[in-house]
Amino acid sequence: GILQHPDGTVLKQLQPPPRGPREQEFYNKVYDPDCCDHILLELRKFLPKYFGVWSPPTAPNDTYLKLEDVTRNFNKPCIMDVKIGQKSYDPYASVEKIQQQVSKYPLMEEIGFLVLGMRVYHVSSDSYEMQNQHYGRSLTRETVKDGISKFFHSGYCLRKDVVAASIQKIEKILEWFEGQTQLNFYASSLLIVYEGSCQATTVRLSDVTLMEKRGVPKGLLSGGEVLEYNNNIHVINSTENGKIEASVSKGLSKFYALHKKACSKRHHSQLSLKVENLEQGNVWKSSTCIAQEHLNGNVLPQLEKVFCHMPAETKESANVDVRMIDFAHVFPSNTKDEGYIYGLKNLITVLQNILDN
């Protein structure tokens, strides 16, 4: 498995020959300090950074590839490993090896990719759901879309912002493949990572009540309830039973976007957002009343249900990363890698169907 180095990198043990040396040679070639091949220099954008090889002092004969930890900057990383291509065996594989690989997932040639595993953070339960390669191999042409969409579900809703951002990043990789005829990749994967926590979308009561009131007065209601106003949300805080009730109107879409961008430490009054594309007939058709007992100052669990259905175009900064990994079967070529291109296009089509439907 992958090990963690104290300096924050990850360690992948070198596989036995010829796979291990071939993967090391690939990284050395791409990350050669003297490399001036624009194809390889462009490829670096889509790989984890490579820091050479490493051996533990206690076992100098064990060699590890020292690589960037792609998940390091994520709080609750959701991770999916997808093997790409119509063939999971290389041109030099034996007949036995070919039969073995084909039998593992006979639909590989038709679908063009295989989910090797996923780990999804569910906000609702503050826990991870895990799926292994057996889950991916159980997916058929009819169920693959629903199987992939599970990775983008937070427990409350489908993260369409993440789906849209993933498509954009995969399209960049596809663009690279369409323009190169140097290398063919077999049994290589895409690692898709996104932030599963709601830090970027959290709306807490303290954030609401501490926002600038812009001179709008607040008044006392019967029973000791304090009604606080701002331009977007009205919060009634009952001092008697701890009940929090928020009336969410169309203006909340602006509030959500401003709050999200406020993470950059700019004041919300300095920001602007186009909201013309909101689905007027869907989520914002009418005001929504949200009520939950004893939220301890956090209205996120109910508001999350509303926010997650906002159109993807209003969520511009989803924290998503897509990298290519596993290069034990990369070979020189003088043609386009049609198998890998086929897999990327099919994966993009599935993701687009998830987004559209």
Side-chain angles (χ1 to χ4, degrees):
I2 299 294
L3 304 178
Q4 188 82 42
H5 191 279
D7 66 5
T9 59
V10 294
L11 302 169
K12 179 182 180 180
Q13 189 164 24
L14 209 64
Q15 300 176 71
R19 291 174 296 167
R22 190 187 295 135
E23 184 166 29
Q24 183 182 353
E25 181 184 357
F26 169 81
Y27 274 113
N28 286 337
K29 182 177 181 179
V30 174
Y31 284 94
D32 185 340
D34 298 323
C35 177
C36 56
D37 185 332
H38 74 279
I39 294 293
L40 298 183
L41 294 175
E42 185 74 13
L43 178 60
R44 291 181 185 180
K45 297 178 183 179
F46 310 122
L47 312 184
K49 292 185 179 67
Y50 173 61
F51 302 99
V53 295
W54 178 87
S55 296
T58 54
N61 293 326
D62 291 346
T63 304
Y64 294 82
L65 299 171
K66 201 163 183 284
L67 302 167
E68 172 190 9
D69 181 358
V70 179
T71 69
R72 189 178 186 187
N73 294 323
F74 292 82
N75 180 37
K76 298 289 186 181
C78 297
I79 307 167
M80 180 166 65
D81 185 335
V82 186
K83 184 183 290 188
I84 303 293
Q86 291 179 283
K87 298 176 180 178
S88 57
Y89 53 89
D90 64 53
Y92 302 99
S94 64
V95 174
E96 292 77 17
K97 179 69 173 179
I98 293 173
Q99 290 175 343
Q100 179 195 48
Q101 289 297 311
V102 170
S103 65
K104 285 182 178 179
Y105 194 56
L107 289 174
M108 190 76 179
E109 186 167 358
E110 179 183 346
I111 294 178
F113 61 84
L114 167 64
V115 175
L116 292 179
M118 65 174 72
R119 186 179 78 165
V120 190
Y121 177 71
H122 286 173
V123 178
S124 52
S125 59
D126 188 26
S127 62
Y128 281 97
E129 177 185 353
M130 314 283 283
Q131 299 289 351
N132 60 22
Q133 57 186 328
H134 299 292
Y135 171 80
R137 288 174 184 154
S138 71
L139 300 178
T140 66
R141 63 179 71 87
E142 292 79 20
T143 63
V144 67
K145 188 188 81 166
D146 290 339
I148 293 281
S149 68
K150 184 187 288 282
F151 173 65
F152 298 100
H153 205 284
S154 70
Y156 279 125
C157 60
L158 183 69
R159 290 288 304 275
K160 287 196 170 187
D161 58 325
V162 175
V163 180
S166 300
I167 291 172
Q168 291 179 352
K169 290 183 179 294
I170 296 170
E171 283 176 339
K172 292 290 185 184
I173 296 175
L174 174 59
E175 187 179 330
W176 181 85
F177 271 90
E178 292 279 21
Q180 71 90 24
T181 56
Q182 295 186 28
L183 299 169
N184 278 5
F185 294 72
Y186 301 91
S188 183
S189 292
L190 288 187
L191 194 70
I192 303 174
V193 187
Y194 73 88
E195 181 55 67
S197 73
C198 283
Q199 287 184 336
T201 59
T202 296
V203 179
R204 297 183 184 278
L205 182 62
S206 59
D207 297 327
V208 175
T209 57
L210 292 177
M211 285 184 66
E212 184 182 28
K213 302 299 184 296
R214 299 188 180 182
V216 180
K218 62 182 180 181
L220 285 173
L221 302 180
S222 60
E225 292 178 334
V226 180
L227 179 60
E228 300 185 354
Y229 293 92
N230 62 38
N231 292 337
N232 304 293
I233 187 168
H234 312 301
V235 176
I236 300 175
N237 180 15
S238 173
T239 56
E240 291 184 343
N241 59 16
K243 182 177 181 180
I244 295 171
E245 194 169 284
S247 176
V248 183
S249 67
K250 293 179 183 179
L252 186 54
S253 59
K254 285 186 178 180
F255 169 76
Y256 165 74
L258 297 178
H259 176 85
K260 181 176 177 183
K261 291 191 175 184
C263 295
S264 63
K265 305 203 184 296
R266 293 180 291 171
H267 194 277
H268 66 276
S269 63
Q270 298 172 320
L271 302 173
S272 62
L273 175 72
K274 294 182 180 179
V275 291
E276 292 90 334
N277 293 324
L278 288 177
E279 298 174 3
Q280 299 293 341
N282 186 8
V283 176
W284 309 112
K285 188 172 183 178
S286 61
S287 295
T288 306
C289 185
I290 299 174
Q292 182 172 343
E293 298 288 335
H294 308 299
L295 287 178
N296 297 322
N298 188 349
V299 296
L300 168 65
Q302 294 299 322
L303 296 181
E304 176 73 2
K305 295 178 182 178
V306 178
F307 296 151
C308 285
H309 292 283
M310 288 177 63
E313 55 265 33
T314 68
K315 294 178 163 187
E316 301 166 353
S317 55
N319 194 0
V320 179
D321 202 354
V322 179
R323 305 288 184 96
M324 296 171 60
I325 58 171
D326 297 337
F327 307 110
H329 303 275
V330 180
F331 297 92
S333 174
N334 55 11
T335 61
K336 285 186 179 181
D337 191 342
E338 297 295 349
Y340 203 103
I341 290 173
Y342 177 89
L344 289 176
K345 287 182 175 179
N346 258 20
L347 180 58
I348 290 170
T349 298
V350 170
L351 294 177
Q352 193 63 55
N353 286 338
I354 293 171
L355 194 61
D356 294 342
N357 298 326

PDB file of all heavy atoms in Angstrom, residues 105 107 110-111 113-114 134-148 350:
ATOM      1  N   TYR A 105     -13.075  -7.987 -15.677  1.00  0.00           N
ATOM      2  CA  TYR A 105     -14.119  -7.034 -16.053  1.00  0.00           C
ATOM      3  C   TYR A 105     -14.325  -7.077 -17.558  1.00  0.00           C
ATOM      4  O   TYR A 105     -13.736  -6.293 -18.310  1.00  0.00           O
ATOM      5  CB  TYR A 105     -13.731  -5.618 -15.600  1.00  0.00           C
ATOM      6  CG  TYR A 105     -14.877  -4.636 -15.653  1.00  0.00           C
ATOM      7  CD1 TYR A 105     -16.065  -4.890 -14.971  1.00  0.00           C
ATOM      8  CD2 TYR A 105     -14.788  -3.458 -16.384  1.00  0.00           C
ATOM      9  CE1 TYR A 105     -17.122  -4.003 -15.005  1.00  0.00           C
ATOM     10  CE2 TYR A 105     -15.834  -2.558 -16.433  1.00  0.00           C
ATOM     11  CZ  TYR A 105     -17.002  -2.832 -15.725  1.00  0.00           C
ATOM     12  OH  TYR A 105     -18.048  -1.935 -15.771  1.00  0.00           O
ATOM     13  N   LEU A 107     -16.487  -5.979 -19.438  1.00  0.00           N
ATOM     14  CA  LEU A 107     -17.042  -4.783 -20.055  1.00  0.00           C
ATOM     15  C   LEU A 107     -16.018  -3.666 -20.247  1.00  0.00           C
ATOM     16  O   LEU A 107     -16.363  -2.592 -20.735  1.00  0.00           O
ATOM     17  CB  LEU A 107     -18.204  -4.249 -19.204  1.00  0.00           C
ATOM     18  CG  LEU A 107     -19.487  -5.085 -19.207  1.00  0.00           C
ATOM     19  CD1 LEU A 107     -20.489  -4.523 -18.208  1.00  0.00           C
ATOM     20  CD2 LEU A 107     -20.094  -5.128 -20.591  1.00  0.00           C
ATOM     21  N   GLU A 110     -15.852  -2.159 -23.698  1.00  0.00           N
ATOM     22  CA  GLU A 110     -17.043  -1.399 -24.085  1.00  0.00           C
ATOM     23  C   GLU A 110     -17.187  -0.106 -23.290  1.00  0.00           C
ATOM     24  O   GLU A 110     -17.480   0.955 -23.860  1.00  0.00           O
ATOM     25  CB  GLU A 110     -18.293  -2.251 -23.871  1.00  0.00           C
ATOM     26  CG  GLU A 110     -19.585  -1.531 -24.217  1.00  0.00           C
ATOM     27  CD  GLU A 110     -20.813  -2.381 -23.921  1.00  0.00           C
ATOM     28  OE1 GLU A 110     -20.646  -3.600 -23.701  1.00  0.00           O
ATOM     29  OE2 GLU A 110     -21.918  -1.826 -23.909  1.00  0.00           O
ATOM     30  N   ILE A 111     -16.969  -0.172 -21.971  1.00  0.00           N
ATOM     31  CA  ILE A 111     -17.175   1.001 -21.122  1.00  0.00           C
ATOM     32  C   ILE A 111     -15.955   1.919 -21.128  1.00  0.00           C
ATOM     33  O   ILE A 111     -16.079   3.139 -21.086  1.00  0.00           O
ATOM     34  CB  ILE A 111     -17.545   0.559 -19.688  1.00  0.00           C
ATOM     35  CG1 ILE A 111     -18.914  -0.132 -19.716  1.00  0.00           C
ATOM     36  CG2 ILE A 111     -17.559   1.729 -18.728  1.00  0.00           C
ATOM     37  CD1 ILE A 111     -19.374  -0.659 -18.387  1.00  0.00           C
ATOM     38  N   PHE A 113     -13.547   2.183 -18.879  1.00  0.00           N
ATOM     39  CA  PHE A 113     -12.967   2.509 -17.571  1.00  0.00           C
ATOM     40  C   PHE A 113     -13.531   1.561 -16.527  1.00  0.00           C
ATOM     41  O   PHE A 113     -14.540   0.880 -16.752  1.00  0.00           O
ATOM     42  CB  PHE A 113     -13.226   3.973 -17.180  1.00  0.00           C
ATOM     43  CG  PHE A 113     -14.683   4.335 -17.065  1.00  0.00           C
ATOM     44  CD1 PHE A 113     -15.408   4.083 -15.901  1.00  0.00           C
ATOM     45  CD2 PHE A 113     -15.346   4.936 -18.123  1.00  0.00           C
ATOM     46  CE1 PHE A 113     -16.744   4.413 -15.794  1.00  0.00           C
ATOM     47  CE2 PHE A 113     -16.692   5.273 -18.031  1.00  0.00           C
ATOM     48  CZ  PHE A 113     -17.390   5.005 -16.865  1.00  0.00           C
ATOM     49  N   LEU A 114     -12.881   1.515 -15.380  1.00  0.00           N
ATOM     50  CA  LEU A 114     -13.292   0.640 -14.284  1.00  0.00           C
ATOM     51  C   LEU A 114     -13.027   1.348 -12.962  1.00  0.00           C
ATOM     52  O   LEU A 114     -11.919   1.815 -12.711  1.00  0.00           O
ATOM     53  CB  LEU A 114     -12.508  -0.681 -14.336  1.00  0.00           C
ATOM     54  CG  LEU A 114     -12.582  -1.586 -13.106  1.00  0.00           C
ATOM     55  CD1 LEU A 114     -14.005  -2.083 -12.886  1.00  0.00           C
ATOM     56  CD2 LEU A 114     -11.618  -2.764 -13.240  1.00  0.00           C
ATOM     57  N   HIS A 134     -14.494  -4.639  -6.125  1.00  0.00           N
ATOM     58  CA  HIS A 134     -15.619  -5.527  -6.415  1.00  0.00           C
ATOM     59  C   HIS A 134     -16.876  -4.713  -6.737  1.00  0.00           C
ATOM     60  O   HIS A 134     -17.698  -5.126  -7.560  1.00  0.00           O
ATOM     61  CB  HIS A 134     -15.880  -6.469  -5.238  1.00  0.00           C
ATOM     62  CG  HIS A 134     -14.712  -7.356  -4.915  1.00  0.00           C
ATOM     63  ND1 HIS A 134     -14.288  -8.349  -5.766  1.00  0.00           N
ATOM     64  CD2 HIS A 134     -13.860  -7.381  -3.843  1.00  0.00           C
ATOM     65  CE1 HIS A 134     -13.231  -8.968  -5.237  1.00  0.00           C
ATOM     66  NE2 HIS A 134     -12.963  -8.389  -4.080  1.00  0.00           N
ATOM     67  N   TYR A 135     -16.994  -3.566  -6.094  1.00  0.00           N
ATOM     68  CA  TYR A 135     -18.119  -2.671  -6.398  1.00  0.00           C
ATOM     69  C   TYR A 135     -18.031  -2.208  -7.848  1.00  0.00           C
ATOM     70  O   TYR A 135     -19.022  -2.247  -8.588  1.00  0.00           O
ATOM     71  CB  TYR A 135     -18.082  -1.477  -5.449  1.00  0.00           C
ATOM     72  CG  TYR A 135     -19.066  -0.381  -5.797  1.00  0.00           C
ATOM     73  CD1 TYR A 135     -20.400  -0.487  -5.443  1.00  0.00           C
ATOM     74  CD2 TYR A 135     -18.651   0.761  -6.479  1.00  0.00           C
ATOM     75  CE1 TYR A 135     -21.311   0.514  -5.751  1.00  0.00           C
ATOM     76  CE2 TYR A 135     -19.546   1.764  -6.802  1.00  0.00           C
ATOM     77  CZ  TYR A 135     -20.876   1.642  -6.432  1.00  0.00           C
ATOM     78  OH  TYR A 135     -21.771   2.635  -6.751  1.00  0.00           O
ATOM     79  N   GLY A 136     -16.843  -1.774  -8.269  1.00  0.00           N
ATOM     80  CA  GLY A 136     -16.667  -1.296  -9.636  1.00  0.00           C
ATOM     81  C   GLY A 136     -16.926  -2.380 -10.666  1.00  0.00           C
ATOM     82  O   GLY A 136     -17.527  -2.119 -11.713  1.00  0.00           O
ATOM     83  N   ARG A 137     -16.505  -3.594 -10.371  1.00  0.00           N
ATOM     84  CA  ARG A 137     -16.689  -4.694 -11.327  1.00  0.00           C
ATOM     85  C   ARG A 137     -18.137  -5.159 -11.388  1.00  0.00           C
ATOM     86  O   ARG A 137     -18.511  -5.875 -12.318  1.00  0.00           O
ATOM     87  CB  ARG A 137     -15.775  -5.858 -10.952  1.00  0.00           C
ATOM     88  CG  ARG A 137     -14.306  -5.571 -11.246  1.00  0.00           C
ATOM     89  CD  ARG A 137     -13.417  -6.675 -10.743  1.00  0.00           C
ATOM     90  NE  ARG A 137     -12.011  -6.338 -10.946  1.00  0.00           N
ATOM     91  CZ  ARG A 137     -11.007  -6.805 -10.231  1.00  0.00           C
ATOM     92  NH1 ARG A 137     -11.241  -7.652  -9.252  1.00  0.00           N
ATOM     93  NH2 ARG A 137      -9.766  -6.436 -10.475  1.00  0.00           N
ATOM     94  N   SER A 138     -18.927  -4.752 -10.411  1.00  0.00           N
ATOM     95  CA  SER A 138     -20.346  -5.130 -10.430  1.00  0.00           C
ATOM     96  C   SER A 138     -21.166  -4.173 -11.294  1.00  0.00           C
ATOM     97  O   SER A 138     -22.334  -4.455 -11.579  1.00  0.00           O
ATOM     98  CB  SER A 138     -20.907  -5.111  -9.005  1.00  0.00           C
ATOM     99  OG  SER A 138     -21.027  -3.781  -8.518  1.00  0.00           O
ATOM    100  N   LEU A 139     -20.575  -3.071 -11.738  1.00  0.00           N
ATOM    101  CA  LEU A 139     -21.314  -2.080 -12.513  1.00  0.00           C
ATOM    102  C   LEU A 139     -21.456  -2.532 -13.961  1.00  0.00           C
ATOM    103  O   LEU A 139     -20.501  -2.994 -14.584  1.00  0.00           O
ATOM    104  CB  LEU A 139     -20.607  -0.723 -12.453  1.00  0.00           C
ATOM    105  CG  LEU A 139     -20.445  -0.102 -11.057  1.00  0.00           C
ATOM    106  CD1 LEU A 139     -19.696   1.214 -11.149  1.00  0.00           C
ATOM    107  CD2 LEU A 139     -21.801   0.096 -10.391  1.00  0.00           C
ATOM    108  N   THR A 140     -22.648  -2.381 -14.492  1.00  0.00           N
ATOM    109  CA  THR A 140     -22.933  -2.729 -15.882  1.00  0.00           C
ATOM    110  C   THR A 140     -23.150  -1.453 -16.685  1.00  0.00           C
ATOM    111  O   THR A 140     -23.151  -0.355 -16.137  1.00  0.00           O
ATOM    112  CB  THR A 140     -24.196  -3.594 -15.968  1.00  0.00           C
ATOM    113  OG1 THR A 140     -25.328  -2.807 -15.560  1.00  0.00           O
ATOM    114  CG2 THR A 140     -24.084  -4.816 -15.058  1.00  0.00           C
ATOM    115  N   ARG A 141     -23.369  -1.620 -17.986  1.00  0.00           N
ATOM    116  CA  ARG A 141     -23.616  -0.436 -18.826  1.00  0.00           C
ATOM    117  C   ARG A 141     -24.873   0.291 -18.365  1.00  0.00           C
ATOM    118  O   ARG A 141     -24.984   1.502 -18.553  1.00  0.00           O
ATOM    119  CB  ARG A 141     -23.714  -0.851 -20.299  1.00  0.00           C
ATOM    120  CG  ARG A 141     -24.848  -1.772 -20.613  1.00  0.00           C
ATOM    121  CD  ARG A 141     -24.929  -2.143 -22.096  1.00  0.00           C
ATOM    122  NE  ARG A 141     -23.837  -3.025 -22.486  1.00  0.00           N
ATOM    123  CZ  ARG A 141     -23.881  -4.347 -22.387  1.00  0.00           C
ATOM    124  NH1 ARG A 141     -24.961  -4.926 -21.861  1.00  0.00           N
ATOM    125  NH2 ARG A 141     -22.883  -5.091 -22.772  1.00  0.00           N
ATOM    126  N   GLU A 142     -25.814  -0.431 -17.740  1.00  0.00           N
ATOM    127  CA  GLU A 142     -27.049   0.192 -17.268  1.00  0.00           C
ATOM    128  C   GLU A 142     -26.884   0.863 -15.907  1.00  0.00           C
ATOM    129  O   GLU A 142     -27.612   1.813 -15.593  1.00  0.00           O
ATOM    130  CB  GLU A 142     -28.178  -0.842 -17.169  1.00  0.00           C
ATOM    131  CG  GLU A 142     -28.663  -1.383 -18.509  1.00  0.00           C
ATOM    132  CD  GLU A 142     -27.750  -2.452 -19.091  1.00  0.00           C
ATOM    133  OE1 GLU A 142     -26.968  -3.051 -18.313  1.00  0.00           O
ATOM    134  OE2 GLU A 142     -27.805  -2.674 -20.323  1.00  0.00           O
ATOM    135  N   THR A 143     -25.957   0.383 -15.090  1.00  0.00           N
ATOM    136  CA  THR A 143     -25.848   0.891 -13.713  1.00  0.00           C
ATOM    137  C   THR A 143     -24.616   1.749 -13.474  1.00  0.00           C
ATOM    138  O   THR A 143     -24.442   2.274 -12.378  1.00  0.00           O
ATOM    139  CB  THR A 143     -25.827  -0.277 -12.713  1.00  0.00           C
ATOM    140  OG1 THR A 143     -24.658  -1.094 -12.951  1.00  0.00           O
ATOM    141  CG2 THR A 143     -27.076  -1.133 -12.844  1.00  0.00           C
ATOM    142  N   VAL A 144     -23.763   1.896 -14.482  1.00  0.00           N
ATOM    143  CA  VAL A 144     -22.501   2.592 -14.251  1.00  0.00           C
ATOM    144  C   VAL A 144     -22.719   4.061 -13.885  1.00  0.00           C
ATOM    145  O   VAL A 144     -21.992   4.621 -13.062  1.00  0.00           O
ATOM    146  CB  VAL A 144     -21.563   2.454 -15.483  1.00  0.00           C
ATOM    147  CG1 VAL A 144     -22.124   3.190 -16.702  1.00  0.00           C
ATOM    148  CG2 VAL A 144     -20.160   2.957 -15.145  1.00  0.00           C
ATOM    149  N   LYS A 145     -23.747   4.692 -14.462  1.00  0.00           N
ATOM    150  CA  LYS A 145     -23.986   6.101 -14.149  1.00  0.00           C
ATOM    151  C   LYS A 145     -24.367   6.268 -12.677  1.00  0.00           C
ATOM    152  O   LYS A 145     -23.811   7.112 -11.971  1.00  0.00           O
ATOM    153  CB  LYS A 145     -25.090   6.675 -15.040  1.00  0.00           C
ATOM    154  CG  LYS A 145     -25.243   8.195 -14.897  1.00  0.00           C
ATOM    155  CD  LYS A 145     -26.453   8.739 -15.617  1.00  0.00           C
ATOM    156  CE  LYS A 145     -27.696   8.538 -14.811  1.00  0.00           C
ATOM    157  NZ  LYS A 145     -28.845   9.313 -15.287  1.00  0.00           N
ATOM    158  N   ASP A 146     -25.296   5.445 -12.207  1.00  0.00           N
ATOM    159  CA  ASP A 146     -25.698   5.522 -10.803  1.00  0.00           C
ATOM    160  C   ASP A 146     -24.548   5.122  -9.885  1.00  0.00           C
ATOM    161  O   ASP A 146     -24.393   5.673  -8.788  1.00  0.00           O
ATOM    162  CB  ASP A 146     -26.899   4.619 -10.544  1.00  0.00           C
ATOM    163  CG  ASP A 146     -28.161   5.145 -11.201  1.00  0.00           C
ATOM    164  OD1 ASP A 146     -28.220   6.359 -11.495  1.00  0.00           O
ATOM    165  OD2 ASP A 146     -29.091   4.346 -11.445  1.00  0.00           O
ATOM    166  N   GLY A 147     -23.738   4.163 -10.336  1.00  0.00           N
ATOM    167  CA  GLY A 147     -22.599   3.730  -9.536  1.00  0.00           C
ATOM    168  C   GLY A 147     -21.570   4.824  -9.364  1.00  0.00           C
ATOM    169  O   GLY A 147     -21.006   4.998  -8.273  1.00  0.00           O
ATOM    170  N   ILE A 148     -21.318   5.580 -10.426  1.00  0.00           N
ATOM    171  CA  ILE A 148     -20.372   6.695 -10.346  1.00  0.00           C
ATOM    172  C   ILE A 148     -20.963   7.847  -9.536  1.00  0.00           C
ATOM    173  O   ILE A 148     -20.260   8.511  -8.763  1.00  0.00           O
ATOM    174  CB  ILE A 148     -20.007   7.193 -11.768  1.00  0.00           C
ATOM    175  CG1 ILE A 148     -19.210   6.129 -12.529  1.00  0.00           C
ATOM    176  CG2 ILE A 148     -19.232   8.501 -11.713  1.00  0.00           C
ATOM    177  CD1 ILE A 148     -17.766   6.027 -12.173  1.00  0.00           C
ATOM    178  N   VAL A 350     -20.491   9.954 -19.105  1.00  0.00           N
ATOM    179  CA  VAL A 350     -21.224   9.508 -17.904  1.00  0.00           C
ATOM    180  C   VAL A 350     -21.376  10.657 -16.914  1.00  0.00           C
ATOM    181  O   VAL A 350     -22.454  10.890 -16.362  1.00  0.00           O
ATOM    182  CB  VAL A 350     -20.514   8.307 -17.261  1.00  0.00           C
ATOM    183  CG1 VAL A 350     -21.129   7.992 -15.896  1.00  0.00           C
ATOM    184  CG2 VAL A 350     -20.591   7.076 -18.155  1.00  0.00           C
TER     185      VAL A 350
END
